[in-house]
């Protein structure tokens, strides 16, 4: 079955520390992959996306993600976290041929300590 | 980038009344829009796919008579929560795909519905 998993429900890091948020998917082919950020009470903002090509993708706000086919993963990274990065992060997947727009992971809540 | 506007951002209504939420694509025509529901501390769950000029496609378990969707034009889809109950209180988000930009989806700001 097609699925998206974000193993970490909540992550806490100190400001200035590096960050990695995990995302795994289950699918027989390569889907389209997205990372979104949601601030409290707000909609979703696209951070980055992967369709094909270079497996290391650069996004907005200093984020990047790496697609690893062998691990069926698309982990989000940032070398130095800022307090304003505290938010909920969602990995989303578009499975080819699916009638649905996007399948979302359960989300990871990021807390940034001063 | 493409912009999707959702209105209102927050609404409080009494039980038994109906509430309409609008989703507009501001700089592109969207033949398809999507409505999601998000419970506190949870992910987004697709409720229905709104198709311009035809009936919406509802996900399993979503009551089509309670959540009426109308996609009357290429830039506007509306979700009406009919006879609202407190359990309908939730965060509702719409999205649309710009047909010029591939499979990227743009999201509205969301609507916080509270039924009292």
């Amino acid at each position: 079955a097609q699925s998206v998993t974000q193993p970490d429900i909540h992550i806490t890091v100190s400001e200035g520390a590096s960050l990695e948020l995990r995302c795994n998917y289950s699918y027989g082919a390569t889907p389209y992959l997205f990372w979104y950020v949601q601030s409290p009470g707000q909609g979703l903002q696209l951070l980055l996306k992967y369709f094909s090509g270079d497996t290391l993708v650069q996004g907005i706000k200093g984020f990047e993600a790496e697609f690893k086919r062998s691990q069926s993963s698309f982990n989000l990274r940032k070398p130095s976290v800022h307090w304003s990065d505290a938010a909920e992060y969602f990995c989303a997947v578009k499975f080819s041929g699916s009638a649905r727009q996007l399948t979302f992971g359960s989300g990871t809540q990021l807390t940034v300590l001063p | 980038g493409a912009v999707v506007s959702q209105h209102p951002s927050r609404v409080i209504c009494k039980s038994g009344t109906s509430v309409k939420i609008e989703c507009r694509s501001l700089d592109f025509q969207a033949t398809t829009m999507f409505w999601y529901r998000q419970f506190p501390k949870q992910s987004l769950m697709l409720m229905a796919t709104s198709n311009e000029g035809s009936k919406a496609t509802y996900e399993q378990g979503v009551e089509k008579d309670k959540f009426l969707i109308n996609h009357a034009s290429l830039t506007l889809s509306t979700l009406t929560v009919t006879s609202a109950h407190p359990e309908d209180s939730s965060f509702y988000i719409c999205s649309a795909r710009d047909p010029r930009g591939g499979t990227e989806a743009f999201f509205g700001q969301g609507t916080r519905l509270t039924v009292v």
Side-chain angles (χ1 to χ4, degrees), chain A residues 28-106:
Chain A
T30 300
Y32 299 129
L33 300 157
F34 306 82
W35 273 100
Y36 287 89
V37 60
Q38 183 183 34
S39 297
Q42 301 294 314
L44 276 69
Q45 181 181 24
L46 179 67
L47 288 175
L48 46 77
K49 59 189 176 186
Y50 173 79
F51 292 166
S52 64
D54 192 346
T55 56
L56 184 61
V57 181
Q58 301 298 320
I60 63 172
K61 303 184 178 184
F63 285 93
E64 66 177 26
E66 185 172 12
F67 168 60
K68 293 186 177 180
R69 185 189 307 274
S70 61
Q71 299 177 17
S72 296
S73 68
F74 188 57
N75 294 348
L76 181 70
R77 300 194 296 249
K78 187 169 185 177
S80 178
V81 172
H82 188 262
W83 64 266
S84 60
D85 293 326
E88 185 90 20
Y89 291 81
F90 291 98
C91 177
V93 176
K94 168 74 166 69
F95 298 109
S96 62
S98 171
R100 303 183 179 182
Q101 172 62 8
L102 291 171
T103 300
F104 285 85
S106 52

